Amino acid sequence: MSRFTRATDLAVFTIVILALWQCLYDYAGEVAITAPMATFRNAGDLLVKPEFWPNVGATMLAFAYAFAISAVAGVALGVLLGVRRFAGEVAEPILAAIYTIPKVTLYPVMLLAFGLGMSAKVAFGVIHGVIPIVLFTMSAVKNLSPTLLRTVRVMRLTGWQAASTVIVPAILPEVISGLRVGFSLTLLGVLIGEMFASQRGLGFLIINGINGHNVRMMTAVTLIVVLFAVTANSLLLALDRHIHHHR
Amino acid sequence: MKGRQAAMAVRVAVVAVFLLLLEVLCRSGVISPLVMIPPSAMLISLCEMLLAGDLTDDIVRTFGTVAVAFAAATVVGFAVGALVHALPRLRRALDPILASYYSVPFFVFYPLLVALLGLSVLPLIAIAFAFAAPAVVMSTLLGLDRVPPVLLKVARIHRLGPASTVFHVVLPAALPSILNGIKLALAYAFIAVIAGEFILSGGGLGYHIAYAYESFDNKTMYGLMLFVLVSAILLNGLLHMWEGRLLRRRQR
């Protein structure tokens, strides 16, 4: 596909979304949602306000911790369960079941266990994000071609050498895909965490906007969050495709 | 087969040991009763509530909402998936949405839906539908992509009409992927409904849990939580079994 058609598609796409949004606004009115242009203006106003940034900082800090923990623990656990076949077979359905339960229900447990504040948000992000990373990594390790493993043995590579020169490069594309899914879910977890019980952060601003009928604030923060999520996801997706392509 | 049974046995043992450990930790006071009550107490509390009929309304409400959203997501998702697959131009335009759809933290839209549709079950159905349908669309697309061209050639050689090609060749070939989408749709619909009830709603299991939490009623809260977790796992297990049966029949 040429770069030109892709740019056209993106432009058409953006215009359609904005038009739908405008229609929604015309239908529902000022009590539910603000108009697209006004929202962009409000979002711009928010971005230059000094009291906005501590909230961004709180969300980003919680998100960074949660994602770092999810990524490290997820990849480590995934590799372990992939290498130990039997343990993997025991664990996979359990993990899949945990993945499908509504984790919001566990929120009170997190709060009771970690208290109000940063650690509860981080824990909530981790329980959302870690499982897809484990599952993707595990299936990548399990599907490693046996030839590669035999090569490792023939060449008498040490564990570290095998990991750094063969196994990691071989599973990297799937791990990146897993990290992309984990990234989105961790962000979701942190934001939901902030919506329920927090004094700070973007999720808190949204729920605060709702409770105080501050539609402008709510829509503007929602826009900022969505733009951030979509941008981050597009970057990771580009990386993902780049790596898959260059294999 | 033997390996699978062994894995199953170990799995059951792992879960049992975990529950037992939790029970011991709670009973011995390592985990304070303010944080968590022992699993056996959760079960007792749940049974009491079920027998007293306290939960009937909430269960009907929550599961009704999930059922409506799930059914709509499956039907509409499949139809849209098939349509988009037939129109490559539309598909190219939709690709960016589908690729980044689940990266948007969906619940930020929930308040918006409440404002649009009013505080009833409608916004819940809408958000569960919106959360579940794209999974079906994506898996339908994937399934239709993966129909081996050689099967279509065979269908042409046998001079099957369009309808019988679809029913006898395309759908069975795309089935595994579509079933996967349906499983995801159920899980997502359930997650969205419970989360929606949790955030802003006047009824249902999610609301009841949030309410119990706010009134420090750990007994009720953990009983309900147990119910939600067990029913999510059971529902998913049922779909899994159904999927296994369908796929095994296909192999014959």
Side-chain angles (χ1 to χ4, degrees):
Chain A
M1 205 194 307
S2 78
R3 189 168 290 169
F4 179 71
T5 29
R6 208 179 297 174
T8 331
D9 278 2
L10 190 66
V12 171
F13 174 68
T14 316
I15 291 170
V16 169
I17 295 279
L18 289 178
L20 282 176
W21 184 353
Q22 183 68 43
C23 292
L24 207 62
Y25 168 72
D26 289 338
Y27 167 75
E30 207 68 63
V31 290
I33 186 173
T34 47
M37 282 308 127
T39 312
F40 277 102
R41 220 174 307 126
N42 291 341
D45 291 348
L46 265 185
L47 289 177
V48 295
K49 260 191 205 157
E51 48 299 8
F52 179 66
W53 288 98
N55 288 303
V56 176
T59 303
M60 285 301 127
L61 190 63
F63 174 68
Y65 277 133
F67 187 58
I69 295 173
S70 301
V72 173
V75 171
L77 203 61
V79 169
L80 196 71
L81 292 175
V83 173
R84 305 252 173 254
R85 292 278 156 123
F86 188 73
E89 207 180 327
V90 169
E92 193 173 358
I94 300 181
L95 290 172
I98 299 179
Y99 184 61
T100 57
I101 58 176
K103 280 169 276 294
V104 205
T105 36
L106 298 177
Y107 196 62
V109 186
M110 295 289 145
L111 282 185
L112 291 171
F114 293 96
L116 262 174
M118 184 60 109
S119 38
K121 285 198 279 188
V122 173
F124 206 55
V126 171
I127 59 167
H128 274 82
V130 73
I131 291 179
I133 302 178
V134 176
L135 289 175
F136 271 86
T137 311
M138 186 169 111
S139 90
V141 175
K142 263 180 18 190
N143 293 331
L144 266 184
S145 138
T147 325
L148 286 180
L149 297 178
R150 246 176 275 147
T151 315
V152 164
R153 239 173 303 146
V154 168
M155 297 177 88
R156 301 185 183 225
L157 298 183
T158 60
W160 172 247
Q161 283 172 326
S164 62
T165 59
V166 180
I167 297 179
V168 169
I171 63 173
L172 194 62
E174 275 75 23
V175 172
I176 299 279
S177 304
L179 287 177
R180 185 169 68 85
V181 176
F183 183 94
S184 310
L185 286 174
T186 309
L187 182 61
L188 180 74
V190 169
L191 283 172
I192 295 185
E194 288 179 341
M195 287 173 88
F196 290 135
S198 177
Q199 301 305 313
R200 255 185 182 188
L202 297 176
F204 167 71
L205 286 185
I206 293 176
I207 206 81
N208 205 27
I210 300 161
N211 292 339
H213 298 287
N214 189 346
V215 181
R216 286 178 50 183
M217 168 77 100
M218 180 188 91
T219 323
V221 177
T222 305
L223 178 71
I224 292 172
V225 167
V226 169
L227 284 181
F228 171 72
V230 170
T231 313
N233 184 64
S234 311
L235 290 178
L236 284 170
L237 196 67
L239 178 68
D240 194 346
R241 285 190 179 150
H242 183 76
I243 286 179
H244 273 276
H245 198 69
H246 276 266
R247 213 165 21 162
Chain B
M1 197 63 203
K2 210 168 160 212
R4 242 169 63 195
Q5 274 164 357
M8 186 73 193
V10 175
R11 202 176 300 139
V12 172
V14 167
V15 174
V17 167
F18 175 74
L19 287 178
L20 205 68
L21 188 70
L22 215 54
E23 181 84 27
V24 170
L25 286 179
C26 291
R27 294 263 175 217
S28 63
V30 178
I31 298 178
S32 136
L34 289 175
V35 172
M36 190 184 270
I37 63 173
S40 58
M42 295 181 198
L43 188 64
I44 293 170
S45 153
L46 173 61
C47 291
E48 280 171 8
M49 283 187 287
L50 282 176
L51 287 177
D54 295 345
L55 297 183
T56 320
D57 289 346
D58 287 329
I59 291 175
V60 169
R61 183 174 162 146
T62 298
F63 282 88
T65 318
V66 172
V68 172
F70 169 62
T74 309
V75 173
V76 175
F78 177 71
V80 170
L83 185 76
V84 171
H85 188 261
L87 302 169
R89 183 73 219 249
L90 180 62
R91 181 171 182 179
R92 225 177 54 199
L94 284 180
D95 252 351
I97 313 191
L98 290 178
S100 52
Y101 194 84
Y102 284 105
S103 72
V104 176
F106 225 81
F107 299 96
V108 296
F109 289 123
Y110 187 67
L112 212 67
L113 287 171
V114 170
L116 285 176
L117 300 170
L119 197 62
S120 65
V121 299
L122 276 182
L124 275 180
I125 293 178
I127 201 159
F129 172 79
F131 200 50
V136 184
V137 174
M138 282 184 240
S139 59
T140 306
L141 283 172
L142 194 69
L144 292 177
D145 282 344
R146 289 198 178 160
V147 175
V150 68
L151 290 183
L152 297 175
K153 278 187 202 151
V154 173
R156 228 175 317 144
I157 289 170
H158 285 272
R159 295 176 188 248
L160 294 184
S164 51
T165 308
V166 166
F167 276 104
H168 293 116
V169 179
V170 175
L171 281 185
L175 191 66
S177 173
I178 296 176
L179 285 177
N180 223 350
I182 292 179
K183 269 193 324 200
L184 278 182
L186 181 65
Y188 286 175
F190 203 66
I191 291 175
V193 169
I194 297 278
E197 286 175 348
F198 214 100
I199 301 177
L200 285 174
S201 159
L205 293 166
Y207 166 76
H208 211 128
I209 295 178
Y211 186 80
Y213 167 67
E214 270 153 29
S215 45
F216 300 104
D217 185 356
N218 267 5
K219 212 172 124 227
T220 311
M221 182 181 89
Y222 276 108
L224 285 166
M225 239 179 235
L226 183 70
F227 181 75
V228 170
L229 299 192
V230 169
S231 39
I233 291 170
L234 275 185
L235 274 177
N236 208 56
L238 278 178
L239 264 188
H240 209 86
M241 267 166 54
W242 177 65
E243 178 192 26
R245 280 234 315 260
L246 273 183
L247 293 184
R248 264 203 299 285
R249 207 163 61 197
R250 215 170 64 105
Q251 277 170 2
R252 250 186 252 153

